[in-house]
Amino acid sequence: LECLALNAYHEARGEGVKGMEAVTQVVINRTRHSKFPSDACSVVYQPSQFSWVGKATDIDDEQSYKLAKQVAKTALKGKLPNHVGDAAFYVNLEKVNLKKHTWINGLQPVKKIGNHQFYKEKST
């Protein structure tokens, strides 16, 4: 619960509930993907995956954190609305220069929610 809530908070607190749900769905999707760890905390704390990890993690918006915890609880109950299908990646378009991130070339855009663009691996 705490890993999912912290990730939703730090990655999408300005995106409202739908953004937090989408970011949380990516973590859930990764737990089901062979390229990632099989539990949410290991996914969240996998090196170089989420921008907030390893930085200051203060909670300065209690309302947003409360919402993030509710999203995490819903996810753990298996009742999270899936806004992004099987997307296992996303970028915050306000913070990332896509031209510098060539890893994204192998991915297919799925949906944009707020400032986040969600991606899945391209089908072969």
CSV table of all heavy atoms in Angstrom, one decimal, residues 57-78:
chain,number,residue,atom,x,y,z
A,57,THR,N,11.4,12.9,-0.1
A,57,THR,CA,10.0,12.3,-0.2
A,57,THR,C,9.0,12.8,0.8
A,57,THR,O,8.2,12.1,1.3
A,57,THR,CB,10.1,10.7,-0.1
A,57,THR,OG1,10.7,10.4,1.2
A,57,THR,CG2,10.9,10.1,-1.2
A,58,ASP,N,9.2,14.1,1.1
A,58,ASP,CA,8.2,14.7,2.0
A,58,ASP,C,6.8,14.8,1.4
A,58,ASP,O,6.7,14.9,0.2
A,58,ASP,CB,8.7,16.2,2.4
A,58,ASP,CG,10.0,16.2,3.1
A,58,ASP,OD1,10.3,15.2,3.8
A,58,ASP,OD2,10.6,17.3,3.1
A,59,ILE,N,5.9,14.6,2.3
A,59,ILE,CA,4.5,14.7,1.9
A,59,ILE,C,4.0,16.1,2.3
A,59,ILE,O,3.9,16.4,3.5
A,59,ILE,CB,3.6,13.7,2.6
A,59,ILE,CG1,4.1,12.3,2.3
A,59,ILE,CG2,2.1,13.9,2.2
A,59,ILE,CD1,4.0,11.8,0.9
A,60,ASP,N,3.9,17.0,1.3
A,60,ASP,CA,3.5,18.4,1.7
A,60,ASP,C,2.1,18.7,1.2
A,60,ASP,O,1.6,19.9,1.4
A,60,ASP,CB,4.5,19.4,1.1
A,60,ASP,CG,4.7,19.2,-0.4
A,60,ASP,OD1,4.0,18.4,-1.0
A,60,ASP,OD2,5.7,19.9,-0.9
A,61,ASP,N,1.4,17.8,0.7
A,61,ASP,CA,0.0,18.0,0.3
A,61,ASP,C,-0.8,16.8,0.8
A,61,ASP,O,-0.9,15.8,0.2
A,61,ASP,CB,-0.1,18.1,-1.2
A,61,ASP,CG,-1.5,18.3,-1.7
A,61,ASP,OD1,-2.5,18.1,-1.0
A,61,ASP,OD2,-1.6,18.5,-3.0
A,62,GLU,N,-1.3,16.9,2.1
A,62,GLU,CA,-2.0,15.8,2.7
A,62,GLU,C,-3.2,15.3,2.0
A,62,GLU,O,-3.5,14.1,1.9
A,62,GLU,CB,-2.4,16.2,4.2
A,62,GLU,CG,-1.2,16.3,5.1
A,62,GLU,CD,-0.5,15.0,5.3
A,62,GLU,OE1,-1.1,13.9,5.3
A,62,GLU,OE2,0.7,15.0,5.5
A,63,GLN,N,-4.0,16.2,1.3
A,63,GLN,CA,-5.2,15.8,0.6
A,63,GLN,C,-4.8,14.9,-0.6
A,63,GLN,O,-5.4,13.9,-0.8
A,63,GLN,CB,-6.0,17.1,0.1
A,63,GLN,CG,-6.8,17.7,1.2
A,63,GLN,CD,-7.8,16.8,1.7
A,63,GLN,OE1,-7.7,16.2,2.8
A,63,GLN,NE2,-8.9,16.5,1.0
A,64,SER,N,-3.8,15.3,-1.3
A,64,SER,CA,-3.3,14.5,-2.4
A,64,SER,C,-2.8,13.2,-2.0
A,64,SER,O,-3.0,12.1,-2.6
A,64,SER,CB,-2.2,15.2,-3.2
A,64,SER,OG,-2.8,16.3,-3.9
A,65,TYR,N,-2.1,13.1,-0.8
A,65,TYR,CA,-1.6,11.9,-0.3
A,65,TYR,C,-2.7,11.0,0.1
A,65,TYR,O,-2.7,9.8,-0.1
A,65,TYR,CB,-0.6,12.1,0.8
A,65,TYR,CG,0.1,10.8,1.2
A,65,TYR,CD1,0.8,10.1,0.3
A,65,TYR,CD2,-0.1,10.3,2.5
A,65,TYR,CE1,1.4,8.9,0.7
A,65,TYR,CE2,0.5,9.1,2.9
A,65,TYR,CZ,1.3,8.4,1.9
A,65,TYR,OH,1.8,7.2,2.3
A,66,LYS,N,-3.7,11.6,0.7
A,66,LYS,CA,-4.9,10.8,1.1
A,66,LYS,C,-5.6,10.2,-0.1
A,66,LYS,O,-6.0,9.0,-0.1
A,66,LYS,CB,-5.9,11.7,1.9
A,66,LYS,CG,-7.1,11.0,2.4
A,66,LYS,CD,-8.0,12.0,3.2
A,66,LYS,CE,-9.3,11.3,3.6
A,66,LYS,NZ,-10.2,12.2,4.4
A,67,LEU,N,-5.7,10.9,-1.2
A,67,LEU,CA,-6.2,10.4,-2.4
A,67,LEU,C,-5.3,9.3,-3.0
A,67,LEU,O,-5.8,8.3,-3.4
A,67,LEU,CB,-6.3,11.5,-3.4
A,67,LEU,CG,-6.9,11.2,-4.8
A,67,LEU,CD1,-8.3,10.6,-4.7
A,67,LEU,CD2,-6.9,12.4,-5.7
A,68,ALA,N,-4.0,9.5,-2.9
A,68,ALA,CA,-3.1,8.4,-3.4
A,68,ALA,C,-3.2,7.1,-2.6
A,68,ALA,O,-3.2,6.0,-3.2
A,68,ALA,CB,-1.6,9.0,-3.3
A,69,LYS,N,-3.4,7.2,-1.3
A,69,LYS,CA,-3.6,6.0,-0.5
A,69,LYS,C,-4.9,5.3,-0.9
A,69,LYS,O,-5.0,4.1,-0.9
A,69,LYS,CB,-3.6,6.4,1.0
A,69,LYS,CG,-2.2,6.7,1.5
A,69,LYS,CD,-2.1,6.6,3.0
A,69,LYS,CE,-2.9,7.6,3.7
A,69,LYS,NZ,-2.6,7.7,5.2
A,70,GLN,N,-6.0,6.1,-1.2
A,70,GLN,CA,-7.2,5.5,-1.6
A,70,GLN,C,-7.1,4.8,-2.9
A,70,GLN,O,-7.6,3.7,-3.1
A,70,GLN,CB,-8.3,6.6,-1.7
A,70,GLN,CG,-9.7,6.0,-1.9
A,70,GLN,CD,-10.1,5.0,-0.8
A,70,GLN,OE1,-9.9,5.3,0.4
A,70,GLN,NE2,-10.6,3.8,-1.2
A,71,VAL,N,-6.3,5.4,-3.9
A,71,VAL,CA,-6.1,4.8,-5.2
A,71,VAL,C,-5.3,3.5,-4.9
A,71,VAL,O,-5.6,2.4,-5.5
A,71,VAL,CB,-5.3,5.7,-6.1
A,71,VAL,CG1,-4.7,5.0,-7.3
A,71,VAL,CG2,-6.2,6.9,-6.5
A,72,ALA,N,-4.3,3.5,-4.1
A,72,ALA,CA,-3.5,2.3,-3.8
A,72,ALA,C,-4.4,1.2,-3.2
A,72,ALA,O,-4.3,0.0,-3.5
A,72,ALA,CB,-2.4,2.6,-2.8
A,73,LYS,N,-5.3,1.5,-2.2
A,73,LYS,CA,-6.2,0.6,-1.6
A,73,LYS,C,-7.1,-0.1,-2.7
A,73,LYS,O,-7.3,-1.3,-2.7
A,73,LYS,CB,-7.1,1.2,-0.6
A,73,LYS,CG,-6.3,1.5,0.7
A,73,LYS,CD,-7.2,2.3,1.7
A,73,LYS,CE,-6.4,2.7,2.9
A,73,LYS,NZ,-7.2,3.5,3.9
A,74,THR,N,-7.6,0.8,-3.6
A,74,THR,CA,-8.5,0.3,-4.7
A,74,THR,C,-7.7,-0.7,-5.6
A,74,THR,O,-8.2,-1.7,-6.0
A,74,THR,CB,-9.0,1.5,-5.5
A,74,THR,OG1,-9.8,2.3,-4.6
A,74,THR,CG2,-9.9,1.0,-6.6
A,75,ALA,N,-6.4,-0.3,-5.8
A,75,ALA,CA,-5.6,-1.2,-6.7
A,75,ALA,C,-5.4,-2.5,-6.0
A,75,ALA,O,-5.4,-3.6,-6.7
A,75,ALA,CB,-4.3,-0.5,-7.0
A,76,LEU,N,-5.1,-2.5,-4.7
A,76,LEU,CA,-4.8,-3.8,-4.0
A,76,LEU,C,-6.0,-4.7,-3.9
A,76,LEU,O,-5.9,-5.9,-3.8
A,76,LEU,CB,-4.2,-3.5,-2.6
A,76,LEU,CG,-2.8,-2.9,-2.7
A,76,LEU,CD1,-2.4,-2.5,-1.3
A,76,LEU,CD2,-1.8,-3.9,-3.3
A,77,LYS,N,-7.2,-4.1,-4.0
A,77,LYS,CA,-8.5,-4.8,-4.0
A,77,LYS,C,-8.8,-5.4,-5.4
A,77,LYS,O,-9.8,-6.1,-5.6
A,77,LYS,CB,-9.6,-4.0,-3.5
A,77,LYS,CG,-9.6,-3.6,-2.1
A,77,LYS,CD,-10.7,-2.7,-1.7
A,77,LYS,CE,-10.6,-2.3,-0.3
A,77,LYS,NZ,-11.7,-1.3,0.1
A,78,GLY,N,-8.0,-5.0,-6.4
A,78,GLY,CA,-8.2,-5.4,-7.8
A,78,GLY,C,-9.3,-4.7,-8.5
A,78,GLY,O,-9.9,-5.1,-9.4
